[in-house]
C-alpha cells in the first residue's frame, strides 16, 4: 500500500526521492527494532518488549491516519481470497508487462542477495569470528545503514542513467568479493570476539566498509526500480503490480534461504558462499546491462 499510493501524493519528479525516503526509513527502522529486540531479549525485559511493541503499533496507527486520502482508482475491483490462485494471477499480469516484470525481477534479486547476507551473519560471527551476538548486531547495523545511505544517494539523482542498475550490481559484486576475501582470512584466533576487539584491527574496518558499500550498492540499485515499477504500471493496477513484486520477492528469498542451507549442508563456509554470490551477481549485472536496466 505504501508504494502503491506514493504516485497519488507525489509529483512525477518527486517519486524517486519519495521511494528513497521510504526505503531508507524502512531499513533504519528494521535496524532499530533488531538492536532493541536483541538487547531486551533477556527474560526480565519481557513486559518492556510487549509495552514497547504496543506503543510502536499505536504510533504507526496514528501516523497512518494522517496519510492524506488516496481514492481507489479501480473501484470495481473484486478481491479474491484464494492466496495461491491470486498470487499466480498477479505474477501472470506482471509478466505481461516487460518493464514491470524486469523491475520485479531486479528487486527480487536485491532481496535474495540481502537474504543471503542476513542468513550468513550469525554463522559468520559465531564460527569464523568466534564472536558474540553483539557482533551480529554490528554487522546488521552496517548493512541497514548502507542500504539507507544508498537509497538516499539514489534519491538525489535527477534522472537515473540507464546503466545505473548494472553499475550498482557490478559494485555490489566487487565489494562482496572483497568482504569474502577478508573474512576468509579470519578465524576465532584472530581475536574478533566482540565489537571493541574488531574495531581495534584495520582488517575489521575493511570488512565493515565492504559490508556498508555492498548494502549501499543495493540501495542505489533498488530505488530506481521501485520508481520504474510505479511509473510503468497502469494506475488501476499499480498496487497489484507491487503485490506481484512482493510475491516474487518472497519466492526469491525462500530460494536464497534454501541455497544457503544447501551450502551449509555441504560444509561450504561463509566466505566461499559469498564469493559464489559475487560471481552470480556478475551474471545479473550482465543481464541488466544487456537489457538496459529497467
Amino acid at each position: 500500500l505504501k508504494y502503491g499510493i506514493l504516485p497519488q501524493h507525489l509529483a512525477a519528479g518527486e517519486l524517486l526521492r519519495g521511494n528513497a525516503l521510504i526505503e531508507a526509513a524502512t531499513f533504519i527502522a528494521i535496524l532499530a527494532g533488531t538492536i532493541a529486540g536483541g538487547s531486551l531479549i533477556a527474560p526480565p525485559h519481557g513486559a518492556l518488549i510487549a509495552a514497547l511493541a504496543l506503543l510502536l503499533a499505536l504510533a504507526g496507527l496514528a501516523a497512518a491516519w494522517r496519510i492524506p486520502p488516496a481514492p481507489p482508482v479501480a473501484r470495481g475491483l473484486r478481491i479474491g481470497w484464494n492466496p495461491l490462485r491470486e498470487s499466480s494471477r498477479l505474477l501472470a499480469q506482471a509478466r505481461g508487462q516487460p518493464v514491470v516484470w524486469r523491475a520485479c525481477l531486479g528487486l527480487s534479486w536485491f532481496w535474495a542477495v540481502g537474504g543471503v547476507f542476513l542468513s550468513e551473519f550469525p554463522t559468520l560471527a559465531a564460527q569464523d569470528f568466534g564472536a558474540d551476538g553483539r557482533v551480529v548486531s554490528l554487522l546488521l547495523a552496517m548493512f541497514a545503514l548502507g542500504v539507507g545511505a544508498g537509497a538516499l544517494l539514489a534519491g538525489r539523482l535527477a534522472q537515473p542513467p540507464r546503466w545505473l542498475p548494472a553499475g550498482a550490481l557490478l559494485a555490489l559484486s566487487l565489494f562482496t568479493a572483497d568482504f569474502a576475501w577478508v573474512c576468509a582470512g579470519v578465524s576465532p584466533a584472530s581475536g574478533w570476539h566482540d565489537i571493541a576487539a574488531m574495531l581495534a584491527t584495520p582488517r575489521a574496518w575493511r570488512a565493515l566498509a565492504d559490508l556498508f558499500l555492498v548494502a549501499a550498492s543495493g540501495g542505489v540499485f533498488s530505488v530506481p526500480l521501485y520508481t520504474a515499477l510505479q511509473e510503468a504500471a497502469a494506475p488501476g493496477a499499480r498496487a497489484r503490480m507491487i503485490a506481484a513484486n512482493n510475491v516474487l520477492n518472497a519466492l526469491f528469498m525462500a530460494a536464497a534461504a534454501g541455497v544457503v542451507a544447501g551450502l551449509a549442508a555441504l560444509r561450504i563456509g561463509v566466505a566461499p558462499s559469498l564469493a559464489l554470490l559475487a560471481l552470480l551477481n556478475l551474471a545479473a549485472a550482465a543481464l541488466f546491462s544487456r537489457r538496459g536496466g529497467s
Side-chain angles (χ1 to χ4, degrees):
L1 287 175
K2 66 184 180 183
Y3 284 111
I5 64 174
L6 274 184
Q8 291 180 259
H9 295 313
L10 299 176
E14 300 172 325
L15 196 53
L16 185 67
R17 188 178 180 191
N19 281 305
L21 292 173
I22 289 286
E23 183 89 343
T26 297
F27 275 86
I28 291 172
I30 291 172
L31 167 64
T34 302
I35 293 176
S39 63
L40 298 174
I41 196 63
H45 299 110
L48 179 58
I49 291 178
L52 182 60
L54 181 60
L55 287 174
L56 288 172
L58 292 174
L61 181 61
W65 277 108
R66 293 185 61 83
I67 297 175
V73 180
R75 292 185 177 273
L77 180 66
R78 296 183 62 184
I79 298 176
W81 298 104
N82 184 318
L84 294 178
R85 183 173 61 241
E86 293 305 311
S87 296
S88 177
R89 287 178 178 175
L90 287 172
L91 293 176
Q93 291 175 23
R95 289 197 67 178
Q97 303 175 60
V99 174
V100 169
W101 185 243
R102 287 198 297 270
C104 291
L105 288 174
L107 290 167
S108 297
W109 178 251
F110 162 72
W111 283 104
V113 170
V116 170
F117 270 94
L118 298 179
S119 298
E120 296 285 23
F121 284 162
T123 304
L124 182 66
Q127 295 184 6
D128 296 68
F129 299 173
D132 56 22
R134 287 171 293 184
V135 170
V136 177
S137 295
L138 176 61
L139 298 177
L140 287 170
M142 295 305 296
F143 194 85
L145 291 174
V147 172
L152 292 176
L153 176 62
R156 295 185 65 86
L157 300 173
Q159 179 63 41
R162 292 183 62 83
W163 53 261
L164 184 64
L169 287 182
L170 283 172
L172 196 155
S173 282
L174 172 66
F175 296 121
T176 297
D178 195 63
F179 182 75
W181 174 263
V182 171
C183 293
V186 178
S187 70
S190 302
W192 291 11
H193 304 311
D194 54 41
I195 293 177
M198 283 188 66
L199 298 183
T201 63
R203 191 179 185 93
W205 280 99
R206 176 177 167 183
L208 293 174
D210 280 334
L211 188 56
F212 179 88
L213 292 169
V214 164
S217 301
V220 170
F221 172 73
S222 64
V223 168
L225 292 181
Y226 277 115
T227 305
L229 172 58
Q230 291 163 331
E231 291 177 340
R238 185 183 294 123
R240 277 174 285 162
M241 293 304 94
I242 293 170
N245 172 62
N246 289 345
V247 172
L248 199 61
N249 291 174
L251 293 174
F252 269 61
M253 286 188 285
V259 170
V260 170
L263 293 174
L266 294 172
R267 300 188 180 279
I268 297 176
V270 175
S273 298
L274 292 179
L276 176 60
L277 176 64
L279 289 175
L280 292 174
N281 194 66
L282 281 178
L287 183 62
F288 266 81
S289 177
R290 188 181 69 184
R291 295 190 176 185
S294 60

